[in-house]
Amino acid sequence: MSEVMDAACADHVHGYIEHKDELLKRLRRAEGQVRGVQRMVQEDVYCIDILTQVSAATKALERVALELLDDHLRHCVASAAAEGGEVAAEKLHEASAAIARLVR
């Protein structure tokens, strides 16, 4: 991260703070699903059943990622866009790169 972004984010409160408990709850649920998948593999469960659970865990993490992305766009990117200049350009680039990683 550049010095410009470091300075812009120094006193920033993250957008997800408003529903941090809900995000943590979703992450704990996903963690439980992943542990369940591990247990299924250890117990030699039918592969299609395991794949179904992998899909559920993946979707749970995708929901968390989309919520975080939405918060980032609504708070961090919107704030940087209002400020303009290099900070806005970097935040937009950062968000674009994050979206690209999510859709790969």
Side-chain angles (χ1 to χ4, degrees), residues 2-3 13 16 48 51 55 63 68 79 83 93 98-99 103:
S2 75
E3 292 177 28
V13 175
Y16 64 81
I48 295 300
L51 288 170
S55 177
R63 282 190 298 275
L68 287 169
S79 176
E83 186 177 326
H93 176 73
I99 292 167
V103 298

Side-chain angles (χ1 to χ4, degrees), residues 52-71:
T52 299
Q53 291 305 311
V54 168
S55 177
T58 300
K59 294 295 181 198
L61 287 173
E62 286 173 352
R63 282 190 298 275
V64 169
L66 289 173
E67 285 183 35
L68 287 169
L69 179 61
D70 183 63
D71 287 337

Side-chain angles (χ1 to χ4, degrees), residues 23-64:
L23 284 172
L24 289 170
K25 184 175 156 182
R26 286 181 181 272
L27 287 167
R28 283 189 293 274
R29 190 175 307 131
E31 179 182 23
Q33 289 173 316
V34 170
R35 285 189 180 143
V37 169
Q38 182 180 12
R39 198 169 29 256
M40 291 172 83
V41 170
Q42 288 173 338
E43 296 171 359
D44 298 321
V45 172
Y46 183 56
C47 52
I48 295 300
D49 294 337
I50 297 171
L51 288 170
T52 299
Q53 291 305 311
V54 168
S55 177
T58 300
K59 294 295 181 198
L61 287 173
E62 286 173 352
R63 282 190 298 275
V64 169

